[in-house]
Amino acid sequence: MRELYTELHRHPELSSEEHATAGRIAEELERIGCTVHRVGDTGVVGVIENGTGPTVLARADIDALPVAEDTGLEYASEVPGVMHACGHDMHIVCLLGAAEQLAQARDAWSGTYIALFQPAEETAAGAKAMLDAGLSAVIPVPDVALAQHVMPTEVGTIGTTAGPVLSAGDSLKVTVHGRGAHGSMPHNSIDPVVLASSIVLRLQTIVSREARPGQFAVVTVGALNAGFKSNIIPDRAELLLNLRTYDTELRERIMATIERIVRGECEAAGSPREPEFEYYDQFPLTDNDAEVNEKVTRAFVDEFGEDRVYETDPYTASEDFSRIPDAFGIPYTYWTVGSVPSEKYRAAVEKGTVAADIPANHSPFFAPAIDPTLETGIRAHAVAALAYLRK
Ligand code: ZN
Ligand code: ZN
């Protein structure tokens, strides 16, 4: 698995283009002795049927990012501008390793194990693509679903939590309309630059004034585009927004509030046309089931010891994993696996410089320490499944 990891790391593939990766995974699953199904263009599922008992689904994502690797690693990406910068290559080998362990220890457990390899997590498209391609027709309905993610935390440690562990994420394109004019004649215009600026400021009141203090919400305006020349007032402006929430009701309310503010500002400006709203890249909430989390956390403590398993704060990042268990109506849990050498991590914590000194996921410097991240991730997947499957 160590060799396969460096091989995958050298040859990353972008979301929905994971053809060679999927082929390599299918080969490994065959070797391990799984029944292999290809689901959609680049989704792969390996099933181990081993008598009566529960059915456990474990998922790994497999796509890379449009990032130019700058780690200087001997096994750095050989594909220009593409990098496994989120550690999904580690997820692949950890899940393959766990499937292999389970395949070799059939006497120890009873039930069905499903190792699911999902494309296009980074674009929020892959889980949906596998479901649309008929995932439910090729696998039995699972009783529980499991997933993990490597994080820039101390290597060898595992973070678990009940309830929201990753946020719901929504992107939104807002187009507002004005009336263009010569830059010297603002009285002939309805200036969309001023209108958009006013919207940006007013949007800041959503988190500060409308969300309950202490309730988590993010509203970021990541782009504001209007005009191209100093002496021309343009006729429209475009804003790209990103929202993050842990609460479905608050999420709906924020969306409604954004639309209300935009419409109100357009009205105040005398905008000649209704604004347009286009939602995209929408990630569901990842909301760990309390019972599943407790059972799996107990298995981790038994396996790794109490000092290596901690309760993690929820992350503000997002994932599309939960679409799969949600489609089957089954509970799930999602945990984190550390990947930064202990000394380096502890020194940064002590100095309070974790954010500055430890490259996080999506950074061109993100470089999980293979040992013991790989071993920890394999064992974590195996013992989490055995919490349900052990005889
Ligand atoms: Zn990512
Ligand atoms: Zn990721």
Side-chain angles (χ1 to χ4, degrees), residues 270-317:
S271 174
R273 261 175 69 187
E274 286 290 302
E276 285 133 36
F277 302 91
E278 188 193 317
Y279 288 90
Y280 64 100
D281 284 0
Q282 295 190 281
F283 290 86
L285 180 67
T286 308
D287 191 7
N288 285 345
D289 181 82
E291 227 170 275
V292 177
N293 173 64
E294 200 196 317
K295 198 174 172 93
V296 168
T297 302
R298 216 181 307 127
F300 288 159
V301 170
D302 287 348
E303 177 75 8
F304 299 106
E306 230 163 286
D307 55 329
R308 286 174 62 188
V309 183
Y310 66 97
E311 186 177 347
T312 180
D313 285 336
Y315 285 81
T316 57

Side-chain angles (χ1 to χ4, degrees), residues 61 86 88 121-122 149:
D61 41 12
C86 204
H88 298 182
E121 182 281 322
E122 297 290 355
H149 207 297

Side-chain angles (χ1 to χ4, degrees), residues 61 63-65 85-88 91 121-122 149 317-319 361-362:
D61 41 12
D63 53 331
L65 283 159
C86 204
H88 298 182
H91 301 171
E121 182 281 322
E122 297 290 355
H149 207 297
S318 307
E319 255 275 1
N361 308 61
H362 293 205

Side-chain angles (χ1 to χ4, degrees), residues 11-23:
H11 304 106
E13 293 176 299
L14 290 172
S15 305
S16 304
E17 295 172 15
E18 311 90 337
H19 295 283
T21 306

Side-chain angles (χ1 to χ4, degrees), residues 135-154:
L135 174 66
S136 60
V138 298
I139 59 167
V141 176
D143 295 295
V144 66
L146 309 169
Q148 65 183 7
H149 207 297
V150 290
M151 291 293 181
T153 48
E154 187 177 350

